[in-house]
Amino acid sequence: MPHIRCIDTLFDIPAAQWDALHDGNPFISHAFLAGLERHGCLRADWGWTPHHLTLWDDDTLVAAAPAYRKTNSHGEFVFDHAWAHAYARYGHDYFPKLLVAAPYSPVTGPRLLARDTASRSALRVAIERATVDAGWSSAHVNFHTEAEADAFDADWLPRIDVQYHWRNPGDWSTFDDYLGAMDHKHRKNIRQERAKVARAGVTFRVLHGDEASDDDLATMYRFYLQTFAEYGNSPALTLEFLRHLAATMPRQLVLVLADLGDVPVAGALCLRGGDTLYGRYWGAIATLPGLHFETCYYQGIDYCLREGLRHFEPGAQGEHKLARGFLPTLVHSRHWIADPEFRRALRDWCTQEARSIRGYAATLAASSPFRQSTP
């Protein structure tokens, strides 16, 4: 029988064994997760302590979950602040809790990494056992794939949310093909937005990690810091981490840099995996009409069309994405509450939340910019 180990650093797990268990999603790769640990992006005083759950058959890794002991809900994107307050009123501490996720990344991907269904189910049981043994309130699996849903039993509460994703139905090979599927109003608006950026004299460079200079990486990092400063938030990533991505994931790191003359004025940081482009961060030092949409969305769509990628996920939230061809898509998480009475109380809450979100998604879908229902 496989035996369980709780690992406090991914560097204790061979990269080849870890990566053999997943589908190549960049946010769950050993390089990405180990880089967060090594380069100062995960700190206990920020609420993140690695606590990876693994199953081993002798020295062979057969299942694993990227897991973290959390003392707050920062950087998760599945919001449970109301649960924490209710748990406190219930007379118990909600923190610490166990989180299975890709830190700071609201990106759907595998979370119960396993060679087969039986190992995936055994891993889910190991997560429950580790939570109970540690005396923690709960375990949470954020942004898991739909294919993993069967691994969870009825004690795991399901939650959903809406993101906005671009999908190529398979017959778009150019940007004009994509625009041609839209109604006249939205097609005209996008062309006008792009024309404003072009008239301002902005040009774009799209670089993979092995094509970006150290100055390019430092520039993108400055844009990243600028955005966090504007919103009054603390940045978690470091420049060393970006350099690490460029070195260890050279063709998966994708930078979009906007230049005005010889000066970079905006940038977007993306990762590529399989047939999907993932937009994660953006920043700018210039305020120009249409610059955000061109840098974050249209350049990414152009890239997908050139590279033959079928999907583009530009990040969480943002109804403004709908008018630009990013349609509402449900994303999933599962939650195991150790206290059975509190779990029962939350079940009704989750059911009501899901009903509301499905209605919201249906309303959004009715406002699709495409002439046909779904591309």
Side-chain angles (χ1 to χ4, degrees):
M1 292 292 292
H3 56 281
I4 302 170
R5 297 182 198 166
C6 296
I7 309 290
D8 61 8
T9 175
L10 215 62
F11 290 100
D12 287 344
I13 303 174
Q17 290 205 43
W18 178 276
D19 288 334
L21 296 178
H22 65 83
D23 63 357
N25 185 292
F27 297 92
I28 216 70
S29 68
H30 191 281
F32 183 89
L33 296 173
L36 290 173
E37 293 181 17
R38 171 168 284 175
H39 297 291
C41 306
L42 299 175
R43 292 174 17 188
D45 59 330
W46 288 351
W48 293 90
T49 301
H51 193 80
H52 307 302
L53 275 297
T54 61
L55 295 181
W56 299 80
D57 184 359
D58 293 327
D59 292 329
T60 301
L61 184 66
V62 297
Y68 303 87
R69 177 184 182 270
K70 288 301 303 297
T71 55
N72 56 38
S73 296
H74 173 67
E76 299 179 18
F77 295 92
V78 176
F79 303 106
D80 61 354
H81 303 90
W83 291 17
H85 292 316
Y87 212 67
R89 292 195 298 271
Y90 186 58
H92 298 290
D93 292 327
Y94 189 69
F95 302 106
K97 64 179 183 180
L98 184 68
L99 174 68
V100 177
Y104 312 121
S105 304
V107 171
T108 293
R111 298 294 182 260
L112 305 179
L113 317 183
R115 296 179 179 274
D116 51 50
T117 301
S119 297
R120 189 175 294 115
S121 296
L123 182 61
R124 183 260 301 166
V125 172
I127 292 171
E128 297 170 8
R129 185 181 306 168
T131 303
V132 171
D133 289 348
W136 298 339
S137 70
S138 51
H140 309 261
V141 180
N142 288 358
F143 300 102
H144 66 80
T145 65
E146 291 189 60
E148 293 172 303
D150 290 343
F152 300 100
D153 63 18
D155 286 339
W156 284 79
L157 306 178
R159 293 185 70 186
I160 58 174
D161 202 356
V162 173
Q163 291 184 358
Y164 301 85
H165 297 173
W166 180 87
R167 297 284 186 269
N168 186 340
D171 56 353
W172 299 342
S173 58
T174 68
F175 203 91
D176 282 340
D177 292 338
Y178 149 68
L179 289 181
M182 289 185 164
D183 61 41
H184 173 74
K185 173 187 172 182
H186 290 92
R187 182 167 61 247
K188 178 181 177 182
N189 287 344
I190 290 174
R191 284 175 172 158
Q192 288 177 339
E193 285 178 342
R194 301 200 82 183
K196 290 177 182 177
V197 178
R199 284 198 300 269
V202 178
T203 58
F204 288 87
R205 293 178 288 139
V206 180
L207 307 170
H208 294 100
D210 55 357
E211 298 164 336
S213 68
D214 195 65
D215 283 346
D216 293 327
L217 296 173
T219 296
M220 184 64 241
Y221 188 67
R222 288 197 298 273
F223 293 148
Y224 165 77
L225 294 180
Q226 176 73 20
T227 297
F228 274 75
E230 289 174 358
Y231 285 92
N233 296 326
S234 299
L237 304 187
T238 63
L239 178 55
E240 290 73 20
F241 175 67
L242 263 62
R243 290 168 173 156
H244 167 83
L245 293 183
T248 61
M249 305 169 64
R251 302 304 292 181
Q252 291 181 289
L253 177 63
V254 181
L255 302 182
V256 178
L257 295 176
D259 297 328
L260 189 57
D262 295 329
V263 180
V265 294
L269 187 153
C270 306
L271 288 176
R272 171 180 174 168
D275 65 351
T276 304
L277 181 68
Y278 303 91
R280 287 305 300 120
Y281 300 102
W282 117 284
I285 58 171
T287 303
L288 297 171
L291 182 61
H292 172 255
F293 301 133
E294 181 68 38
T295 307
C296 293
Y297 307 141
Y298 303 142
Q299 287 293 316
I301 291 172
D302 259 336
Y303 177 87
C304 289
L305 291 165
R306 286 196 308 272
E307 296 288 316
L309 304 185
R310 294 289 295 274
H311 308 283
F312 180 18
E313 300 184 16
Q317 304 167 344
E319 289 186 10
H320 60 276
K321 296 169 185 170
L322 180 60
R324 291 158 182 91
F326 295 85
L327 298 185
T329 304
L330 295 180
V331 293
H332 304 267
S333 61
R334 293 280 179 147
H335 309 268
W336 188 80
I337 310 300
D339 186 290
E341 291 187 16
F342 198 74
R343 185 193 311 153
R344 282 193 291 272
L346 285 179
R347 187 177 302 280
D348 288 341
W349 187 94
C350 290
T351 299
Q352 294 174 18
E353 179 192 49
R355 186 180 302 118
S356 175
I357 288 174
R358 289 186 187 279
Y360 172 62
T363 300
L364 291 170
S367 300
S368 168
F370 294 100
R371 289 183 280 107
Q372 298 177 357
S373 58
T374 303

